[in-house]
Amino acid sequence: MAKPNEPLVTHIYTADPSAHVFEGKIYIYPSHDLDHEKQSNDNGDQYDMEDYHVLSLEDTDAPCVDHGEALHLRDIPWAKQQLWAPDAAYKNETYYLFFPARDQNDVFRIGVATSASPAGPFTPEPDYIPGSFSIDPAVLVDDDNNAYMYFGGLWGGQLEKWQTGEFLPDAEGPDPSAPALGPRVAKLSDDMLTFAEPPKEISIVDEEGSPIAASDEDRRYFEGPWVHKHNGNYYLSYSTGSTHYIVYAMSDKPEGPYVYKGKILTPVIGWTTHHSIVQFKEKWYLFYHDSSLSGGADNKRSVKYTELKYNEDGTIQTIDPYGN
Ligand code: FUB
C-alpha cells in the first residue's frame, strides 16, 4: 500500500516523478534509476538510465502498480544515452511522453513518444523535436487547450551552452551578479509533436521586479521545472540544484514573468531534488524523490508523495519531507 513519505515502489529505483490524473487514477512518469556504481560528477554521468516504467495509483493509499517497461533507449533512433526526467500529457485522444536524452553528438535533446494508453507502451517519433535542447520537459495543457513545454537544466543539463541560441560546448553560465538563466518555454503545435514557436526564456523576478541573480543559489533556477494552475494562477516550481530546494514563483500568464514566492520542499537525502504537483479528489499532492532507500546513493532514488497545502492567500506551505 502506498503511504505518504515512503517509496512508492521498492523493487526498482525511480526518480523525477511527473504525476497526472488520467482516467480517474494518478499516473506517475518517473525516471528509472539503474543499480550501477558509476562515479558521480557535475556532468551527471552517474544518471545513466535506459528505459521508463509507468506507475499508477488507484488512490493515494492503494498499492502502486508498475506497468512495466513503457519505452526503451534501443527503440529511440536518435537517442544515444541517458533517459532523464520525463513528463506526459493528454490531448487529441492520445497520451504523449516527452523525454530528454543525449543525441549521437552527446547533446541533450527532447523527444516525444505516443500511446493510446496512459500506461504505454509508447512509440517514439523517429527524431527529436526540432529546435529542442537541454533537459527536464514538463508540459502544461492549459484550460484553453494550448499546450506549453517548460524545460532546461544547468550543468549536466547543458542550458549554459545554449545562451546564444546555438550549442557552444565551452560556454559558461552568466556572471554571478547578472540575472540567472531562466527555464525555457515553448508553445507546442496542435499535434504536440513540434514547437509552434521558438523557445523563450522565462524571467523569474523578486517581489520588487528585479531578476533573481545567478549568485542567488537559494532562489535561482537550476532544473526540474513544473507548472500547475491553482485558482487561476500559474505556479512555476523548480529545483535550486546546488542548494537542494524545491521553490516556486507565481504569474497570471503561462509564459511569465514569474514572481519568486518561497520554498516548497526542504532538502532531501541525495544531491538531486525533483518534483511534480497534482490535484486528486480535492486534495493537492507533491510527488518527489529521495535517496533514503539506497542509503544515500545520488543515482539510486525513490519516488514518494506527500500532501501539499495552500495558505488562504494562495501561497504554498513549506514541506519538510522528514517532519522535522
Ligand atoms: O535524473 C536525472 C536528472 O537528475 C534529472 O533530469 C534532473 O532533474 C535531476 O533529478
Side-chain angles (χ1 to χ4, degrees):
M1 296 292 177
K3 288 196 184 130
N5 301 310
E6 292 194 4
L8 280 185
V9 292
T10 56
H11 64 290
I12 54 172
Y13 290 113
T14 56
D16 307 326
S18 291
H20 293 274
V21 175
F22 294 138
E23 301 179 358
K25 295 186 208 175
I26 304 175
Y27 278 88
I28 303 116
Y29 300 85
S31 304
H32 175 195
D33 282 350
L34 295 178
D35 192 1
H36 61 56
E37 303 297 335
K38 291 223 164 153
Q39 210 186 351
S40 289
N41 58 34
D42 289 350
N43 204 32
D45 292 342
Q46 65 274 31
Y47 303 111
D48 196 14
M49 297 87 102
E50 296 178 357
D51 67 1
Y52 294 112
H53 283 223
V54 178
L55 308 178
S56 72
L57 291 168
E58 290 259 9
D59 210 329
T60 48
D61 59 358
C64 184
V65 177
D66 175 359
H67 295 272
E69 186 179 288
L71 178 64
H72 195 281
L73 185 63
R74 73 172 88 82
D75 298 320
I76 308 167
W78 61 268
K80 179 176 166 193
Q81 60 188 24
Q82 290 174 299
L83 293 184
W84 283 13
D87 191 20
Y90 177 70
K91 192 173 163 171
N92 309 322
E93 297 177 5
T94 302
Y95 292 92
Y96 298 87
L97 184 72
F98 297 94
F99 59 91
R102 284 183 193 259
D103 70 9
Q104 304 301 329
N105 299 313
D106 280 326
V107 177
F108 266 109
R109 304 286 187 173
I110 296 171
V112 55
T114 55
S115 177
S117 163
F122 287 86
T123 305
E125 292 294 297
D127 208 347
Y128 58 76
I129 296 174
S132 69
F133 55 90
S134 198
I135 59 166
D136 290 0
V139 171
L140 172 77
V141 180
D142 209 346
D143 302 330
D144 60 6
N145 226 22
N146 281 320
Y148 301 88
M149 181 190 289
Y150 302 84
F151 64 95
L154 304 184
W155 299 11
Q158 303 178 334
L159 191 60
E160 296 92 332
K161 303 180 190 313
W162 287 97
Q163 289 170 81
T164 63
E166 276 176 67
F167 184 77
L168 302 178
D170 298 324
E172 310 248 326
D175 281 347
S177 60
L181 295 181
R184 301 303 199 260
V185 58
K187 204 174 204 178
L188 291 170
S189 55
D190 278 342
D191 67 6
M192 302 284 274
L193 302 179
T194 61
F195 291 160
E197 46 194 52
K200 293 184 262 207
E201 184 171 358
I202 291 183
S203 167
I204 304 173
V205 300
D206 64 18
E207 300 277 356
E208 280 74 51
S210 302
I212 302 293
S215 60
D216 188 349
E217 294 187 29
D218 277 354
R219 299 192 295 174
R220 66 98 169 77
Y221 178 79
F222 188 89
E223 65 183 0
W226 185 260
V227 173
H228 75 281
K229 253 177 127 172
H230 175 253
N231 287 346
N233 289 309
Y234 296 84
Y235 291 71
L236 165 67
S237 40
Y238 55 91
S239 165
T240 61
S242 50
T243 51
H244 317 289
Y245 295 113
I246 297 290
V247 299
Y248 73 106
M250 291 173 64
S251 179
D252 57 3
K253 295 186 282 299
E255 297 177 313
Y258 281 83
V259 179
Y260 180 86
K261 290 291 175 182
K263 295 187 175 88
I264 294 180
L265 185 69
T266 56
V268 296
I269 295 167
W271 199 93
T272 64
T273 186
H274 192 118
H275 78 299
S276 59
I277 294 169
V278 68
Q279 185 178 21
F280 182 66
K281 296 187 180 170
E282 308 300 316
K283 288 189 177 180
W284 288 84
Y285 295 95
L286 177 80
F287 283 77
Y288 66 100
H289 71 222
D290 79 359
S291 299
S292 54
L293 182 67
S294 66
D298 287 341
N299 62 331
K300 293 179 209 168
R301 301 160 290 179
S302 300
V303 169
K304 302 179 168 185
Y305 79 89
T306 194
E307 193 178 344
L308 174 141
K309 293 182 178 156
Y310 295 89
N311 297 309
E312 285 285 306
D313 64 359
T315 55
I316 293 176
Q317 296 179 8
T318 306
I319 295 165
D320 175 342
Y322 309 108
N324 297 313

